[in-house]
Amino acid sequence: MKNRKSLIRSVLASLVLWLWITSIAHADMLISPTRVLLDDANQSATLILRNPSEGPRTYRLSWQDKRADENGGYTMIPESEEWPSAKDMIRLSPRQITVGSGENQTVRFSWRPPADLPSGEYRSHLLLEVIPDISEPTATLSAEGPQEGVGVQVFMQMSFSIPVVVRHDTDAPQVSIEGVNAVPTKDEKHLGLKLTFNRAGNASSYGRVLVEMQRDANSPVELIGQYGELSIFQEVDQRTITVPLRDARIPAGAWVRVAYEGQKEYEGILWAEQVFKAN
């Protein structure tokens, strides 16, 4: 029984390490862009995959429909539920792709809106699922068991998905900042700002959040925090994020500016802004 418990602990340790490595899975396959947009003015797009690893990767491409929540998580949409899905409107080529070591491969998207398509935003997520039988493992994890010759070995294969957004006759949404609160982070050397955004309209927003500080009227403006690629999707009325800051505290009397700025198709839009003086 004791040896079995030790083996279980070894397995759990391997799984914890596996979960940590999956958080940086995209480092093994470079993807550009990490979000695809098709609209009335741009009805085609491409996705570039670059493989910087030593072995080839083969992926099967398929679609998923997922609902976002206010904290950035997702839940799968049941087949029986109505959902503004984009997958049946998009032509995708190829459906399976192999990216050799040091090589690039391209995935192409095209969209033609049906004549009776209602105005609105549609979204599906493109799943790139690795085919393990013909792909080199991303990594191998090994853990020794309590007895000689007993151990655990995990061969890791990474899959990932990206949102593909289709917009037809939509307007830019309205976004406001409802709350700004200082919160601790796991690292005592850094403070965090918990931000809550409200969104309204028939389309999602996209951009980055900047946190800037000016200690006094004679000091330069410093960038002390940033959160990139923030989408507030059309099914979400409110979104909460935490931006880790550069410092452990904000000096009393300093002015702080929080800004959510548009990027890509929304370049130049200031979604929301709040300026306050630290106590």
Side-chain angles (χ1 to χ4, degrees):
M1 178 64 70
K2 183 177 179 181
N3 287 344
R4 181 177 297 177
K5 289 182 178 179
S6 298
L7 179 58
I8 291 173
R9 282 196 295 268
S10 296
V11 173
L12 290 176
S14 293
L15 290 176
V16 168
L17 183 56
W18 177 81
L19 290 172
W20 175 77
I21 291 181
T22 59
S23 68
I24 55 171
H26 283 188
D28 190 66
M29 181 63 66
L30 304 179
I31 314 162
S32 180
T34 54
R35 159 187 172 270
V36 173
L37 173 68
L38 301 165
D39 58 23
D40 296 317
N42 300 284
Q43 298 184 355
S44 62
T46 58
L47 178 72
I48 306 297
L49 303 179
R50 176 163 179 78
N51 181 5
S53 66
E54 295 182 358
R57 301 281 185 273
T58 298
Y59 295 93
R60 180 181 297 111
L61 280 59
S62 60
W63 292 105
Q64 295 177 324
D65 284 330
K66 300 190 286 188
R67 176 185 289 108
D69 63 31
E70 65 177 17
N71 296 311
Y74 292 99
T75 56
M76 300 297 294
I77 303 294
E79 291 284 342
S80 58
E81 183 175 333
E82 290 190 10
W83 173 256
S85 175
K87 62 185 181 183
D88 293 334
M89 298 187 287
I90 299 174
R91 291 185 178 180
L92 175 67
S93 178
R95 289 286 181 164
Q96 182 169 308
I97 190 169
T98 297
V99 190
S101 176
E103 295 181 352
N104 296 346
Q105 291 291 348
T106 300
V107 179
R108 292 176 173 81
F109 305 83
S110 64
W111 169 66
R112 295 294 181 270
D116 57 349
L117 182 67
S119 300
E121 182 172 287
Y122 303 82
R123 189 181 83 249
S124 294
H125 291 247
L126 178 67
L127 174 65
L128 293 99
E129 185 176 14
V130 71
I131 302 177
D133 294 342
I134 51 177
S135 298
E136 289 292 327
T138 298
T140 303
L141 302 180
S142 299
E144 294 184 358
Q147 301 176 2
E148 184 177 355
V150 177
V152 177
Q153 194 171 52
V154 180
F155 296 94
M156 297 172 58
Q157 301 284 1
M158 303 301 182
S159 300
F160 48 91
S161 67
I162 64 168
V164 180
V165 177
V166 170
R167 293 199 189 113
H168 174 58
D169 192 26
T170 61
D171 298 317
Q174 299 81 50
V175 182
S176 61
I177 299 175
E178 179 176 288
V180 179
N181 297 287
V183 295
T185 65
K186 295 180 181 179
D187 184 349
E188 295 180 355
K189 297 180 180 179
H190 302 278
L191 185 68
L193 277 189
K194 185 177 181 180
L195 309 175
T196 300
F197 298 91
N198 291 330
R199 187 209 59 84
N202 65 349
S204 60
S205 64
Y206 180 76
R208 63 177 180 173
V209 176
L210 302 178
V211 182
E212 298 172 326
M213 178 182 71
Q214 188 174 25
R215 297 175 187 272
D216 54 53
N218 299 316
S219 300
V221 174
E222 306 171 58
L223 179 65
I224 61 171
Q226 185 169 186
Y227 189 106
E229 297 194 35
L230 174 62
S231 291
I232 307 179
F233 289 119
Q234 55 86 20
E235 71 269 24
V236 178
D237 296 328
Q238 192 171 82
R239 178 80 158 85
T240 299
I241 65 170
T242 297
V243 182
L245 303 184
R246 183 192 63 191
D247 307 319
R249 59 182 296 273
I250 298 174
W255 287 97
V256 177
R257 174 179 179 261
V258 177
Y260 180 26
E261 301 178 345
Q263 292 184 295
K264 299 291 186 179
E265 73 275 16
Y266 290 131
E267 189 73 35
I269 291 180
L270 178 60
W271 291 120
E273 179 183 44
Q274 193 169 122
V275 178
F276 61 92
K277 192 173 186 178
N279 297 322

